[in-house]
Amino acid sequence: MKERMRASLAGAFPGATVSIFTDLEMALAAAGEGPVIVLVAGTGSAAIGRNAQGQIWRTGGQGPRLGDDGSAFDIGSRAVARAMKEREKLGTDSILGMRILEQLDCASWAELQQRAALRPDSVFPSVFPVVAAAADAEDPAAREILRQAASELSSLVHTVSEHSGNGRENIMIVKTGGTVGRCAFFDMQLDAALKRALPQAQIGGLRMSPAEAAARAARS
């Protein structure tokens, strides 16, 4: 795909130097120099890392049908499935279930299912704020879902560290994406899971925005 895009742009702009970068590569560039693993936790999920020799590995980012474990899409779909099962078991909606329906402006679970079948990307990620708020309000179901998501995200980082040989180094883990900083409980669980996976790691944020990293790449 990158080569096709590069060839197409080179044909449209003869004589221009064309470089194509993915959003993950720009996130890695925005993390700064040296050994680092970037965890992207947003609508989807992925991890990309660079070791001291400059070698790069990545995992995840395959979309909800093949992966994206621990992402907002995954969290939302798990919350919807749990709320629907609770409805079937108890005959009434849980507090989390009622808030999900309200968030999506759906009168029933049948309506939500119809929308999700047609446009899942517009349904499941939108449930994350409900789960986040419920977890911070000590809802047990929401907290269980977010604990599982934190574990799955930490597994992405661990996979990259195993391939890159960064597991025994004082590596930096950089968190970015739409679910980061949105829920105190989730942030705490994710940091704890990352520390269990890589006890010597430091956890931080991007040194610059991906847009700035892209501008620097274009300038150089």
Side-chain angles (χ1 to χ4, degrees), residues 24-160:
L24 271 181
E25 290 168 338
M26 282 297 93
L28 184 62
E33 301 296 327
V36 64
I37 298 175
V38 178
L39 172 64
V40 179
T43 300
S45 64
I48 186 170
R50 179 182 57 237
N51 65 13
Q53 291 72 45
Q55 297 169 307
I56 295 173
W57 286 264
R58 58 159 289 174
T59 189
Q62 303 299 321
R65 293 184 179 181
L66 299 176
D68 280 350
D69 294 341
S71 67
F73 189 105
D74 183 43
I75 290 167
S77 62
R78 288 176 183 270
V80 168
R82 180 160 185 153
M84 291 180 66
K85 288 180 180 178
E86 289 177 345
R87 170 74 181 186
E88 292 175 357
K89 181 179 179 180
L90 303 175
T92 185
D93 287 321
S94 63
I95 294 176
L96 181 61
M98 288 188 289
R99 289 176 177 168
I100 289 173
L101 290 173
E102 181 181 355
Q103 168 79 359
L104 298 174
D105 195 24
C106 289
S108 67
W109 292 107
E111 181 183 346
L112 188 153
Q113 286 179 291
Q114 290 175 350
R115 286 176 53 184
L118 294 173
R119 298 180 61 192
D121 289 344
S122 70
V123 173
F124 296 124
S126 300
V127 176
F128 173 76
V130 176
V131 180
D136 280 342
E138 302 185 3
D139 182 273
R143 289 193 164 195
E144 182 180 338
I145 291 168
L146 293 185
R147 285 192 193 97
Q148 180 65 28
S151 176
E152 290 167 344
L153 291 171
S154 71
S155 292
L156 295 176
V157 171
H158 184 263
T159 297
V160 171

